[in-house]
Amino acid sequence: MTDEKIPYRFERTASTAAVRAAHPDLAPGAETGDIVSVAGRLMLRREAGRITFGELRDSDGRIQLFAGATWTDDYERFKDLDLGDWIGATGEVVATRTGELSVEVRHWQLLAKARRSFGDKWRGISDVDLRYRQRYADLWANEASRDVLLLRSRMISLTRRCLERRGFVEVETPLLHTLPGGALARPFATHHNALDMDLYLRIAIELHLKRLVVGGIEKVFEIGRVFRNEGLSPRHNPEFTMLEAYQAYADYTDMMELVEQLVAHLATELCGTTKLTYAGRELDLAPPWTRATMFELVARHAGVAVDLTTPVEELRRLVADHAIPVDESWGPGKLILELYEKTTEPELWGPVFVLDYPKEVSPLARDHRTVPGLVERFEAIVAGRELANAFSELNDPDEQRRTFEAQARAKAAGDEEAMAVDEDYLRALEYGLPPTGGIGIGMDRLAMLLSGVETIRDVILFPTLRPER
RNA sequence: GCGCCUCUAGCUCAACGGCAGAGCAACGGACUCUUAAUCCGCAGGUUCUGGGUUCGAAUCCCAGGGGGCGCACCA
């Protein structure tokens, strides 16, 4: 059905919120003489013979439309409007006898017809498949979905402002990489026809941003999509949004301060407090967050004191005791990490900074300044989840080449997530990377935390799904 | 990839081996102050798909598909 009467534009003079703000306390039956034009979607309609009430919603809120046979143009057609139709309406701002602020509709225009029904006007849409596939219907029908969208938008905006205030410069670096690097993950592969070469969707932003620090951009960040070819879960989507920030002359302790300040700031701005409840448990994001080394935490939660001098056979036995299949190639660092992930990480609620990871599992982090075999790295655990990962960045090109080569050997031995040697990145390091602290924050998980939802699909507008049918 | 759960009208849900139903939306009608308006009427179905068991299947069984959760992988 095409309607030749649908206009190309509509001269709106006020949003519903503006009308409300201009007339805060009208007495029942009041007439204001204020003529406004409002526009939006018809949410509800109550017909009572020769008068009809409608509820119009725009992006600011809602307002009642008051139409009547004696004063509304084309009243019979107004009565026939369907819920979901977009209309523009012009008339005087009044209060009805019961005191409801209304626009007394004199003229109105259909702006778009809703040919499909949006579902139950009271219960909305709860079928999760329908909500994710037809997000447009979900957003119309479910206020909670709109709230999450708006919170996420404000969160990203506040994050940018917070970093800019600290002097960080926002950049955009390639999503198409010739070598996937900067994280341990399987990439999506694609192909460039003109150059006849394989390309990979980036799995991290890291290596490009550190190149920029080499180039003299002392504080740099990017908020962007990264892609990992992995399974889906309530906490994983194949494409997700990462914040990465790098700061010259800083180390991982500076990054801890940055994370806790940023997250506490966002909570205060978006939730009004740092004391949140998530998944029924309390969480206080006020700095400073607890700091504890991985080995301390393993000792506490696994009940066994281990470190890199613990005999490998003993570590293997401990790991095997927790029903983890042991790979022959694992050294003590990887074994302790496995033990930590199985026994300790699930017990952590946070916020807590888990400090000082084995070098074996951290090829881009700099050696710990006092403990051999460890690197200066932390993960921030918040609400039982890994929210951030950060290091004092490895800036010695020779040492970086050695860790890359160890990764390349693991890759050759069949580890699909291991890194390759990135010669251009090594060349950049040879120009000199100053001492640098770097941080990566999963913004989707942060949005989940701040909006209180428990599945990542609720904070991603169009999550990855199988095709229909 | 494996395990468990789930799929009924546009939406939200009943019926759980015995005639497929309700509310909302839609459609027709009544009503000049409603607030999820109300009231009267009417219509709406490949019960996800395909097999099977049975006198009889939405219901039980098998296979496939979509979705959810868990495991594994990861942030």
Side-chain angles (χ1 to χ4, degrees):
Chain A
M1 180 196 86
T2 54
D3 187 339
E4 72 282 0
K5 295 194 203 67
I6 300 282
Y8 281 82
R9 70 186 300 277
F10 180 79
E11 187 67 32
R12 179 169 78 160
T13 64
S15 69
T16 60
V19 173
R20 226 167 260 289
H23 302 283
D25 291 305
L26 290 188
E31 298 178 2
T32 65
D34 184 14
I35 307 293
V36 297
S37 292
V38 292
R41 201 164 212 158
L42 192 65
M43 297 294 295
L44 296 171
R45 203 192 53 211
R46 297 179 285 275
E47 230 185 288
R50 292 174 62 75
I51 62 169
T52 292
F53 300 93
E55 244 176 81
L56 187 78
R57 190 174 79 204
D58 63 14
S59 61
D60 287 355
R62 8 174 117 197
I63 198 159
Q64 179 166 270
L65 299 178
F66 182 25
T70 60
W71 66 83
T72 301
D73 288 350
D74 222 353
Y75 177 70
E76 289 304 314
R77 271 184 65 233
F78 188 91
K79 280 204 303 186
D80 279 344
L81 286 170
D82 290 325
L83 304 191
D85 287 349
W86 292 87
I87 61 171
T90 302
E92 183 180 356
V93 179
V94 301
T96 59
R97 269 182 223 165
T98 55
E100 177 82 19
L101 183 70
S102 308
V103 173
E104 195 175 77
V105 180
R106 207 152 298 269
H107 315 292
W108 65 278
Q109 276 183 302
L110 183 66
L111 302 179
K113 189 72 195 163
R115 288 166 57 182
R116 295 171 182 265
S117 152
F118 281 88
D120 191 295
K121 67 186 179 188
W122 183 239
R123 302 199 206 201
I125 295 174
S126 59
D127 182 301
V128 292
D129 186 37
L130 194 157
R131 287 186 49 224
Y132 299 145
R133 285 189 199 282
Q134 302 185 33
R135 185 65 88 181
Y136 33 88
D138 176 46
L139 289 168
W140 181 84
N142 295 319
E143 191 174 6
S145 292
R146 293 194 297 280
D147 289 345
V148 170
L149 178 158
L150 294 174
L151 181 139
R152 180 176 178 138
S153 172
R154 292 182 59 211
M155 180 190 85
I156 297 289
S157 169
L158 286 164
T159 299
R160 284 204 163 90
R161 269 188 270 158
C162 179
L163 289 167
E164 285 162 359
R165 262 200 316 275
R166 288 170 175 257
F168 282 84
V169 173
E170 181 171 11
V171 296
E172 293 177 274
T173 63
L175 273 71
L176 294 174
H177 287 189
T178 50
L179 269 184
L184 303 170
R186 294 171 62 183
F188 287 93
T190 185
H191 188 79
H192 188 280
N193 291 337
L195 295 175
D196 188 24
M197 67 175 184
D198 290 331
L199 289 170
Y200 302 89
L201 300 185
R202 68 180 178 189
I203 57 174
I205 315 175
E206 174 138 359
L207 299 182
H208 281 96
L209 294 185
K210 281 190 277 191
R211 284 175 171 96
L212 296 177
V213 180
V214 169
I217 316 300
E218 295 178 351
K219 293 181 174 180
V220 66
F221 78 101
E222 179 166 348
I223 295 173
R225 211 64 66 81
V226 299
F227 306 84
R228 297 188 185 175
N229 206 338
E230 289 155 0
L232 287 73
S233 88
R235 288 164 295 283
H236 301 88
N237 196 65
E239 52 178 306
F240 61 102
T241 299
M242 187 100 104
L243 161 67
E244 289 197 25
Y246 293 82
Q247 180 175 348
Y249 323 123
D251 66 10
Y252 75 150
T253 64
D254 296 294
M255 294 299 106
M256 286 179 229
E257 188 266 348
L258 179 64
V259 174
E260 62 190 8
Q261 293 296 329
L262 172 65
V263 172
H265 171 67
L266 294 174
T268 302
E269 289 291 316
L270 298 171
C271 310
T273 173
T274 59
K275 293 184 187 350
L276 306 185
T277 300
Y278 189 82
R281 285 183 69 180
E282 310 220 326
L283 184 73
D284 191 349
L285 298 169
W289 296 357
T290 304
R291 285 141 167 86
T293 68
M294 177 188 285
F295 291 177
E296 288 167 3
L297 290 167
V298 168
R300 194 178 314 159
H301 289 93
V304 48
V306 292
D307 62 31
L308 295 172
T309 66
T310 309
V312 172
E313 306 75 49
E314 192 181 331
L315 289 173
R316 285 195 178 137
R317 203 178 56 244
L318 281 167
V319 167
D321 283 350
H322 287 91
I324 304 165
V326 176
D327 189 300
E328 282 302 307
S329 67
W330 292 353
K334 174 67 173 170
L335 288 163
I336 294 175
L337 180 70
E338 290 287 329
L339 196 61
Y340 160 78
E341 286 179 348
K342 182 77 173 184
T343 64
T344 306
E345 201 177 59
E347 302 299 317
L348 300 177
W349 180 248
V352 57
F353 291 118
V354 181
L355 311 183
D356 299 343
Y357 279 60
K359 181 178 176 65
E360 183 184 344
V361 297
S362 312
L364 299 167
R366 185 168 174 178
D367 284 352
H368 195 278
R369 63 194 77 184
T370 57
V371 187
L374 295 185
V375 292
E376 295 195 357
R377 170 182 175 187
F378 70 82
E379 290 193 356
I381 303 292
V382 181
R385 295 176 186 162
E386 183 188 336
L387 183 75
N389 184 19
F391 346 118
S392 298
E393 301 297 335
L394 175 53
N395 60 349
D396 177 336
D398 298 326
E399 183 59 26
Q400 182 69 78
R401 180 175 294 281
R402 282 191 286 273
T403 65
F404 272 161
E405 283 170 352
Q407 285 289 309
R409 282 193 298 276
K411 198 179 193 68
D415 183 350
E416 291 187 79
E417 295 177 352
M419 296 177 189
V421 178
D422 186 334
E423 289 292 347
D424 177 72
Y425 180 68
L426 291 169
R427 178 169 60 190
L429 290 185
E430 286 166 10
Y431 279 98
L433 175 69
T436 296
I439 177 82
I441 300 179
M443 297 306 271
D444 311 272
R445 290 185 176 178
L446 188 53
M448 289 167 68
L449 176 71
L450 296 173
S451 56
V453 304
E454 292 178 40
T455 166
I456 198 167
R457 285 180 287 265
D458 282 338
V459 298
I460 292 177
L461 285 171
F462 299 97
T464 304
L465 298 172
R466 281 195 179 83
E468 280 182 272
R469 232 152 292 265

